[in-house]
Each structure stands twice: as structure tokens, then as C-alpha cells.
Amino acid sequence: MIGVQSDGYASWPRSFEAGAPVTIKAETIADGTTAPTTQKMFDLLGECVDRWLVVPEPRLKAAIPELAASAKLVAEGAGALAYAAIEQLAPGPLTVVSDSGGNLDTKHMASPLS
């Protein structure tokens, strides 16, 4: 399993690099991923997640209108993370991406990508 976070709040990848939960400031539109890092979740994710991908915030912002236009899917920032990260994977076996969350502030649909 691959975990994905925005570079605006890459708390889990940073926690695993540090070997323990870390606290960082959230600067992302993927607010659904900004829960505090705890030891219990650190242990659970350490068992379940094989590797982490970090998506640049501009790429995440671009993914939201891309999903709306191409897939007719309204996804909030956290829900669009997996789609935004898929381009980081080399072609290979069938990959499933779970996109979810319609709790989207509509200003993200029309905002500049940078």
C-alpha cells in the first residue's frame, strides 16, 4: 500500500524519516489529512503502508479541476491526493486509486494553480 500526502503537510513521511511522530504546520488544501500524528497511528501505518509519496501542493490544486473536467468527479483536496500522485508511479501492474470527498470549497475550482 502506498500512502500519499501533500508537501504542505507531509507529517507521516517526515515522522517515518524521524522514527517517531512529528508535529508540523499544515499549509495544504488537503485539510482532511491534517489530523495530529499519534504513536498509535504511527504504529498502525508502519504496519500497513509500504511507502509514501509526497505531492507538490500546486499539483494537488491542479488535480481538483482535472478530476471535475475529465471524470466528472468533485473531490476535495484530501480526496484528490491519490489521483495527483499517480503520475509519480512507473507504469506497471494495475493500480487502484481511491478518490473521495465532496466537501470542497468552490474557490478551489477556479483558483490559480500556483
Side-chain angles (χ1 to χ4, degrees):
M1 180 181 297
I2 299 171
V4 181
Q5 284 202 294
S6 162
D7 66 358
Y9 191 74
S11 64
W12 290 115
R14 289 185 186 174
S15 292
F16 285 102
E17 288 172 9
V22 298
T23 302
I24 60 174
K25 182 179 177 188
E27 296 182 26
T28 181
I29 63 168
D31 55 352
T33 67
T34 61
T37 55
T38 64
Q39 187 63 48
K40 182 177 181 179
M41 285 304 299
F42 180 84
D43 295 340
L44 180 62
L45 290 174
E47 293 176 21
C48 299
V49 178
D50 300 309
R51 70 177 173 141
W52 290 92
L53 296 178
V54 177
V55 174
E57 193 72 13
R59 174 64 193 119
L60 175 58
K61 289 178 180 179
I64 293 170
E66 284 176 19
L67 281 168
S70 65
K72 309 302 184 235
L73 175 70
V74 176
E76 62 189 62
L81 268 170
Y83 170 80
I86 197 81
E87 65 191 23
Q88 294 182 34
L89 298 176
L94 179 65
T95 302
V96 176
V97 172
S98 174
D99 286 316
S100 63
N103 187 18
L104 176 67
D105 184 336
T106 54
K107 71 180 179 188
H108 295 304
M109 295 294 286
S111 65
L113 300 179
S114 58

